């Protein structure tokens, strides 16, 4: 249609949402009438005691915005103090005074708001950080303010982490209370008696006892229950990293690591002098742990306990309860928790030992389940001896090749091998004879490592273990076994190792001084793929075998070229093999001395590395005075190289080459004294009384020389006086009391006077200004 014939229509206004709502008839809200109740009943919303509507995310109310902003500044300040350990403070105040005043102000602001801060997503992390800096009195006050609310707090998403941290750090305070170390508590008329932390923990546990069986299955409270069990039972707390891994999940540990260091901000609670927490616990704690096990056995049936094993939340808690049950000696009782998980094996062994037990599908499932296999590892480790024999015969014997190759069950098999008898070990080695090479090809070394360690403890089946190692790396002849150490270290079969070695770039000769001084340079790609930690652990286990079975590793290391040995010492995994070789009591001393002697002439290259310097220190610590002298004399020509090396200079300090060149007898005496008293590092020089028993010594506090006296002239005078009285050294009674410089010369060893003078000139302080003045006067 032509544009001039078009007519514009009437504009229609679009209706807004308000117009639409007005046009619609009002609808009454539908009210669901409860079944069986009259229609006039209405349920009121839940409110807290203050009248506010109850919110499960903030059961004790929300934190004020100003308070939250204040605690954010507290968190920033504590983070700075934790990162910067050595910070210069005001000289008028103590080293911790400023931090204590700041911390007291934060605690004062926190008073009355503890529960709200714990349930806040931002402030809960700040409270965790502050708990590490609380003293015993503040921790007691803090936990006392939370009593009667722990059942709600442990189920909360954020407050549960604060409770977990509280139980983790409470062991330090309880350890001090068990030794009678209690802080001074100020007496106030308006407040009652403050309970000790030991009593507070018992009261908190009593508060959680009524709902214990449900807390262990709660996704947030289960972690708090594990921390509480670790605090109550000494056996679980002594597990160390294993217990810590059971308390926190991997996700929780990773998140906490991102929050920065969690430790006290006060300097007197850090460093090497920090006290070691005692593992002893009050007897009330053991009784309470036993009571928690009885509660779970009473409230849950057999099938319910077995269902906990497959639950990702409850399985770690059940694992710790089995540890507590074994520690209390309750495992042998019929119908125990372990007996329920083992489907009645313990009851059958106690009541009818001759009865044939049929295998259970439930335990076969536990073997292959990623979650439940950890629980079965605990059962294999802590079950009674008679029950373990039955468990081994039914579920492991005859199926070891299949289980050892399984990605999950191989860990359970490794734990079971750590407990077998000599007969069971030999049968297992015979059964796995054709499977070892498959385990190495799939990097499942745990079974082989466990068999080697068990053989070293029992001192049986060593020849079967050596054959298993040769079979695992496909070494059939004596010539093939020359490459045992590099094959095991890289976890490669002999065929794969030879194929990779052909295309490997041969490194430059390591006998020449390095230009990198311990710093790694980019090199060509090594087709071997680098050494593996699992391979290093296998070599360390083989070195712990009794002689002569560990010779398969020792002779192989001695046969390696020096370049390969040094390359192995510079590797993070390979250097650990040298550590065990020098420390293991099963390695003959002759082999250790031979290793140290072989490195002579190459120590300057060995210690020119971060890891190699540590191996050099190990060799130096093991060597006797004769070997130390040979090592030190071999480094005379490389003294400048060691001084310029970033890592070698620390090794050179132990050698003290200058003293060996000038006074070798004194150097030998010093090394002999170090060997006798290795813990006293300050005793570097021999005792002057042993060499000169008749010389009367002055006070240990030495007076500094005055600036008016020339030290070089004093040394020359002392040297000349010594020459004159050389024949009268044995008759010290007729010799007048020498001056202080002369005493220093006598203490130095009484050797050739010319060497003493040259050494004194070299050690004299250099004053550039005095030299310039002398030159001007001479002109």
């Amino acid at each position: 249609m032509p544009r001039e014939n078009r007519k514009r229509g009437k504009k229609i206004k679009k209706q807004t949402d308000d117009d639409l709502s007005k046009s619609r008839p009002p609808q009454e809200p539908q009210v669901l009438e409860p079944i069986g109740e009259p229609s006039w009943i209405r349920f009121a919303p839940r409110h807290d005691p203050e009248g506010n509507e109850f919110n499960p995310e903030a059961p004790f109310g929300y934190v004020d915005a100003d308070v939250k902003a204040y605690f954010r500044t507290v968190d920033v300040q504590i983070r700075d103090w934790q990162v910067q350990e050595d910070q210069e403070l005001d000289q008028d105040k103590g080293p911790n005074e400023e931090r204590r005043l700041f911390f007291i102000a934060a605690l004062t602001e926190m008073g009355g708001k503890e529960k709200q801060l714990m349930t806040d997503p931002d402030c809960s992390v700040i409270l965790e950080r502050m708990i590490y800096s609380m003293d015993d009195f503040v921790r007691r006050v803090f936990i006392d303010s939370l009593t009667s609310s722990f059942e709600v707090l442990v189920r909360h998403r954020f407050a549960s982490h604060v409770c977990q941290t509280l139980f983790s750090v409470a062991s330090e305070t309880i350890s001090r209370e068990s030794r009678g170390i209690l802080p001074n508590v100020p007496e106030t008329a308006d407040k009652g008696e403050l309970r000790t932390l030991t009593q507070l923990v018992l009261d908190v546990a009593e508060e959680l006892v009524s709902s214990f069986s449900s807390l262990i299955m709660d996704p947030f409270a289960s972690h708090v229950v594990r921390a509480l069990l670790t605090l109550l039972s000494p056996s679980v707390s002594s597990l160390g990293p294993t217990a810590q891994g059971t308390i926190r999940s991997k996700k929780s540990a990773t998140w906490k690591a991102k929050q920065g260091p969690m430790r006290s901000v006060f300097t007197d609670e850090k460093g090497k002098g920090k006290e070691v927490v005692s593992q002893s616990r009050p007897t009330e704690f053991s009784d309470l742990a036993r009571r928690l096990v009885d509660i779970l056995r009473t409230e849950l049936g057999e099938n319910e306990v077995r269902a906990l094993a497959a639950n990702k939340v409850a399985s770690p808690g059940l694992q710790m309860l089995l540890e507590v049950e074994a520690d209390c000696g309750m495992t042998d009782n019929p119908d125990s928790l372990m007996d329920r998980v083992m489907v009645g094996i313990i009851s059958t062994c106690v009541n009818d030992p001759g009865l044939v037990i049929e295998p259970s599908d439930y335990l076969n499932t536990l073997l292959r389940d990623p979650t439940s296999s950890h629980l079965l590892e605990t059962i294999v480790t802590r079950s009674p001896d008679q029950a373990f024999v039955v468990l081994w015969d039914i579920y492991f014997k005859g199926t070891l090749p299949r289980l050892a190759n399984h990605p999950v069950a191989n860990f359970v098999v490794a734990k079971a091998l750590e407990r077998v008898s000599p007969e069971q070990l030999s049968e297992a080695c015979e059964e796995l004879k054709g499977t070892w090479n498959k385990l190495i090809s799939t990097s499942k070394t745990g079974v082989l490592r466990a068999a080697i360690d068990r053989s070293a403890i029992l001192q049986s089946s060593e020849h079967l273990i050596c054959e298993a190692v040769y079979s695992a790396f496909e070494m059939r002849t004596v010539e093939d076994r020359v490459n045992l150490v590099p094959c095991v270290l890289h976890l490669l079969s002999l065929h794969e190792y030879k194929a990779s070695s052909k295309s490997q770039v041969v490194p430059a000769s390591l006998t020449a001084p390095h230009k990198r001084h311990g710093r790694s340079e980019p090199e060509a790609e090594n087709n071997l793929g680098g050494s593996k930690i699992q391979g290093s652990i296998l070599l360390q286990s083989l070195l712990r075998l009794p002689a002569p079975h560990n010779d398969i590793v020792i002779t192989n290391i001695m046969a390696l070229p020096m370049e390969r040995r040094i390359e192995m010492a510079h590797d993070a995994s390979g250097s650990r093999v040298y550590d065990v070789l020098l420390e293991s009591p099963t390695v003959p001393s002759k082999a250790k001395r031979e290793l140290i002697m072989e490195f002579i002439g190459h120590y300057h290259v060995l210690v020119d590395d971060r890891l190699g310097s540590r191996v050099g220190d190990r060799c130096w610590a093991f060597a006797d005075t004769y070997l130390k002298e040979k090592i030190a004399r071999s480094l005379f020509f490389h003294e400048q190289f060691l001084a310029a090396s970033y890592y070698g200079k620390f090794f050179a300090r132990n050698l003290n080459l200058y003293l060996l060149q000038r006074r070798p007898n004194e150097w030998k005496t010093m090394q002999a004294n170090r060997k006798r008293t290795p813990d006293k590092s300050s005793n570097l020089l021999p005792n002057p009384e042993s060499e000169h028993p008749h010389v009367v010594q002055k006070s240990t506090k030495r007076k500094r020389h005055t600036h008016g006296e020339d030290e070089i002239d004093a040394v020359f005078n002392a040297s000349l006086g010594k020459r004159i009285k050389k024949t009268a050294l044995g008759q010290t009674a007729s010799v007048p009391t020498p001056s202080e410089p002369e005493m220093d010369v006598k203490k130095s060893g009484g050797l050739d006077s010319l060497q003493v003078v040259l050494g004194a000139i070299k050690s004299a302080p250099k004053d550039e200004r005095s030299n310039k003045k002398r030159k001007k006067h001479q002109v």
Side-chain angles (χ1 to χ4, degrees):
M1 179 183 294
R3 188 169 185 178
E4 56 272 9
N5 296 333
R6 295 178 184 176
K7 291 184 179 180
R8 186 174 181 180
K10 186 177 181 182
K11 187 175 182 180
I12 301 175
K13 184 179 179 181
K14 294 184 179 180
Q15 292 183 349
T16 60
D17 295 339
D18 297 337
D19 298 334
L20 289 175
S21 60
K22 291 178 181 179
S23 61
R24 295 174 183 172
Q27 296 181 357
E28 296 183 358
Q30 294 182 355
V31 179
L32 298 177
E33 296 183 0
I35 300 175
E37 297 289 343
S39 59
W40 50 268
I41 293 179
R42 296 289 184 272
F43 292 94
R46 297 176 60 186
H47 290 81
D48 56 9
E50 297 180 359
N52 301 323
E53 187 175 351
F54 180 80
N55 186 358
E57 295 183 359
F60 303 99
Y62 292 95
V63 181
D64 188 66
D66 296 336
V67 176
K68 186 181 292 189
Y70 170 74
F71 277 97
R72 285 197 185 117
T73 60
V74 172
D75 184 52
V76 172
Q77 183 62 72
I78 294 178
R79 280 173 178 265
D80 293 341
W81 281 337
Q82 288 177 339
V83 172
Q84 302 171 2
E85 294 184 1
D86 301 327
Q87 186 177 10
E88 297 182 359
L89 301 176
D90 191 358
Q91 296 181 358
D92 297 336
K93 301 178 181 179
N96 296 321
E97 187 64 23
E98 180 182 346
R99 301 181 183 183
R100 291 189 188 278
L101 293 175
F102 179 85
F103 203 71
I104 290 173
L107 292 174
T108 306
E109 183 65 30
M110 187 177 64
K113 311 180 187 68
E114 295 90 351
K115 300 174 185 178
Q116 291 90 336
L117 293 171
M118 288 179 66
T119 54
D120 187 79
D122 299 326
C123 297
S124 61
V125 186
I126 304 173
L127 278 187
E128 283 190 71
R129 198 181 303 278
M130 294 177 64
I131 287 172
Y132 287 93
S133 301
M134 293 180 179
D135 57 11
D136 297 345
F137 175 74
V138 176
R139 288 174 184 172
R140 290 163 60 183
V141 173
F142 183 69
I143 296 180
D144 186 67
S145 64
L146 304 176
T147 51
S148 71
S149 302
F150 268 95
E151 187 173 357
V152 179
L153 292 173
V154 298
R155 295 177 184 271
H156 194 268
R157 177 182 179 184
F158 304 108
S160 61
H161 293 285
V162 184
C163 297
Q164 183 178 354
T165 304
L166 272 175
F167 290 138
S168 300
V169 301
S171 58
E172 304 173 2
T173 304
I174 292 174
S175 175
R176 285 188 285 268
E177 289 181 354
S178 62
R179 299 195 303 268
I181 304 174
L182 298 174
N184 296 326
V185 180
E187 297 182 0
T188 54
D190 56 339
K191 296 182 180 179
E193 182 183 357
L194 181 62
R195 292 168 288 180
T196 62
L197 191 59
T198 303
Q199 186 61 40
L200 285 169
V201 170
L202 293 174
D203 294 342
V204 170
E206 288 290 340
E207 184 181 343
L208 302 177
V209 157
S210 59
S211 57
F212 180 74
S213 58
S214 61
L215 292 177
I216 199 173
M217 293 180 283
D218 189 270
F220 302 123
S222 61
H223 300 278
V224 185
V225 170
R226 298 175 212 168
L228 180 61
L229 289 174
T230 305
L231 181 63
L232 295 178
S233 178
S235 63
V236 178
S237 61
S238 62
L239 295 177
T242 305
Q244 296 300 323
T246 310
I247 293 173
R248 284 192 177 271
S249 62
K250 292 182 179 180
K251 184 178 180 180
S252 176
T254 304
W255 181 87
K256 190 174 182 180
K258 294 179 181 179
Q259 305 304 314
M262 292 278 190
R263 56 174 179 267
S264 176
V265 298
F266 302 113
T267 57
D268 56 353
E269 300 175 6
K270 297 182 292 187
K272 297 181 180 179
K274 188 176 180 180
E275 65 172 331
V276 179
V277 179
S278 175
Q279 298 296 337
S280 61
R281 297 287 185 271
T283 55
E284 295 85 359
F285 281 17
S286 300
D287 297 339
L288 181 58
R290 181 190 292 267
R291 183 183 171 191
L292 293 178
V293 174
D294 291 335
I295 288 173
L296 200 67
R297 290 169 57 179
T298 305
E299 295 183 357
L300 299 182
E302 295 183 1
N303 293 330
E304 291 175 323
V305 172
R306 292 171 192 153
L308 296 179
N311 192 325
K312 292 184 178 181
V313 175
S315 181
L318 180 60
Q319 180 181 346
M320 299 187 72
L321 285 170
L322 292 180
E323 294 277 358
V324 174
E325 187 182 50
D327 185 60
C328 296
M330 304 166 61
T331 306
D332 296 333
N333 301 333
D335 199 36
S336 62
L337 291 179
M338 187 171 292
D339 184 38
R340 295 181 184 182
V341 178
M342 295 179 69
V343 199
I345 291 180
I346 297 177
S347 301
T348 305
C349 293
V350 173
N351 300 327
D352 193 358
L355 183 65
V356 178
I357 302 175
E358 296 293 332
S360 171
D361 295 336
Y362 172 75
L363 285 179
N364 282 324
T365 306
L366 295 186
L367 271 170
R368 297 165 176 82
D369 184 66
T371 302
S372 308
S373 61
H374 298 282
L375 180 67
L376 193 57
E377 290 180 26
T378 303
I379 293 174
V380 166
T381 306
R382 302 303 300 268
S383 59
D385 296 335
Q386 191 175 2
F388 173 76
V389 173
V390 176
L391 190 69
W392 174 268
D393 292 338
I394 295 177
Y395 296 99
F396 293 97
K397 187 176 180 180
T399 59
L400 286 177
R402 189 176 63 227
L403 294 176
N405 279 298
H406 195 272
V408 176
N410 73 91
F411 296 101
V412 186
V413 173
K415 283 290 183 182
L417 285 174
E418 294 176 359
R419 199 180 168 183
V420 294
S421 62
E423 295 78 11
Q424 292 171 339
L425 179 61
S426 60
E427 292 174 0
C429 291
E430 292 291 340
E431 189 175 348
L432 292 169
K433 185 173 291 184
T435 316
W436 297 117
N437 57 345
K438 298 179 183 178
L439 299 180
I440 297 301
S441 61
T442 55
S443 298
K444 298 182 180 66
T445 60
V447 177
L448 180 58
R449 190 264 315 155
I452 296 172
D453 291 341
R454 189 59 179 170
S455 176
I457 294 173
L458 299 175
Q459 294 187 1
S460 66
S461 306
E462 294 93 344
H463 62 286
L464 294 176
I465 293 297
C466 296
E467 292 298 330
V469 173
Y470 291 140
S471 173
F473 295 93
E474 301 177 1
M475 297 178 181
R476 298 176 178 84
T477 62
V478 180
E479 292 78 8
D480 295 341
R481 298 172 183 178
V482 178
N483 297 315
L484 176 66
V485 170
C487 287
V488 175
L489 195 60
H490 295 88
L491 280 185
L492 295 174
S493 63
L494 181 63
H495 175 71
E496 294 173 342
Y497 176 75
K498 289 183 177 180
S500 303
S501 300
K502 291 180 181 179
S503 56
Q504 180 185 1
V505 179
V506 180
S509 177
L510 295 175
T511 56
H514 283 194
K515 297 180 181 179
R516 58 185 176 91
H517 295 300
R519 300 182 182 275
S520 59
E521 294 179 347
E523 298 177 356
E525 279 295 326
N526 189 356
N527 293 331
L528 294 176
S531 59
K532 305 293 192 301
I533 297 177
Q534 296 90 340
S536 177
I537 293 175
L538 283 178
L539 290 175
Q540 295 172 39
S541 299
L542 288 171
L543 285 171
R544 294 188 181 97
L545 288 174
H549 302 285
N550 54 11
D551 288 343
I552 62 174
V553 179
I554 298 173
T555 55
N556 206 276
I557 292 177
M558 299 302 179
L560 289 175
M562 184 54 62
E563 291 81 2
R564 286 291 182 85
R565 292 194 213 177
I566 295 178
E567 183 182 353
M568 182 175 166
H570 290 177
D571 184 75
S573 302
S575 62
R576 298 295 179 180
V577 179
Y578 288 116
D579 295 345
V580 177
L581 194 151
L582 293 170
E583 292 177 355
S584 176
T586 59
V587 177
S589 300
K590 181 181 178 182
K592 299 178 182 179
R593 291 176 61 88
E594 184 180 355
L595 175 70
I596 296 173
M597 292 283 289
E598 289 288 336
F599 278 124
I600 291 179
H602 306 277
Y603 273 98
H604 62 290
V605 182
L606 174 66
V607 301
D608 188 25
D609 184 80
R610 179 175 61 90
L611 300 168
S613 61
R614 191 176 56 82
V615 176
D617 291 336
R618 294 271 187 179
C619 296
W620 181 262
F622 175 80
D624 54 12
T625 306
Y626 172 75
L627 280 178
K628 288 181 178 179
E629 185 178 2
K630 296 198 70 173
I631 294 171
R633 291 189 180 277
S634 67
L635 294 172
F636 280 165
F637 299 102
H638 308 287
E639 186 176 2
Q640 297 298 327
F641 173 78
L642 291 175
S645 173
Y646 185 78
Y647 299 102
K649 61 184 177 182
F650 300 104
F651 180 75
R653 290 178 185 176
N654 294 331
L655 269 60
N656 205 345
L657 296 178
Y658 174 77
L659 183 61
L660 177 60
Q661 292 174 343
R662 302 299 186 271
R663 298 184 290 275
N665 292 334
E666 185 177 345
W667 184 89
K668 293 178 183 178
T669 307
M670 180 184 68
Q671 298 300 330
N673 292 341
R674 281 184 176 179
K675 194 71 176 178
R676 294 193 195 98
T677 57
D679 54 332
K680 297 181 180 180
S681 58
S682 59
N683 188 17
L684 299 179
L685 296 177
N687 190 1
E689 294 182 359
S690 61
E691 296 186 3
H692 307 285
H694 301 287
V695 177
V696 180
Q697 291 190 354
K698 295 183 180 181
S699 176
T700 55
K701 295 182 179 180
R702 296 181 57 188
K703 298 180 181 179
R704 295 186 178 181
H705 298 291
T706 58
H707 294 287
E709 182 183 3
D710 193 351
E711 295 180 358
I712 298 179
D713 294 338
V715 172
F716 270 95
N717 295 334
S719 178
L720 291 174
K722 185 179 177 181
R723 287 183 184 177
I724 296 171
K725 301 172 185 176
K726 187 172 183 180
T727 57
L729 282 176
Q731 304 172 358
T732 53
S734 61
V735 179
T737 304
S739 60
E740 188 173 347
E742 185 176 351
M743 289 290 297
D744 294 339
V745 174
K746 287 188 178 182
K747 290 180 183 179
S748 63
L751 300 175
D752 192 0
S753 59
L754 181 59
Q755 294 181 356
V756 174
V757 172
L758 293 176
I761 293 173
K762 187 172 182 179
S763 61
K766 297 180 180 180
D767 193 354
E768 299 179 357
R769 297 181 180 178
S770 60
N771 293 337
K772 293 180 180 180
K773 291 181 179 179
R774 289 181 181 179
K775 291 181 180 180
K776 291 181 179 179
H777 286 299
Q778 290 177 0
V779 175

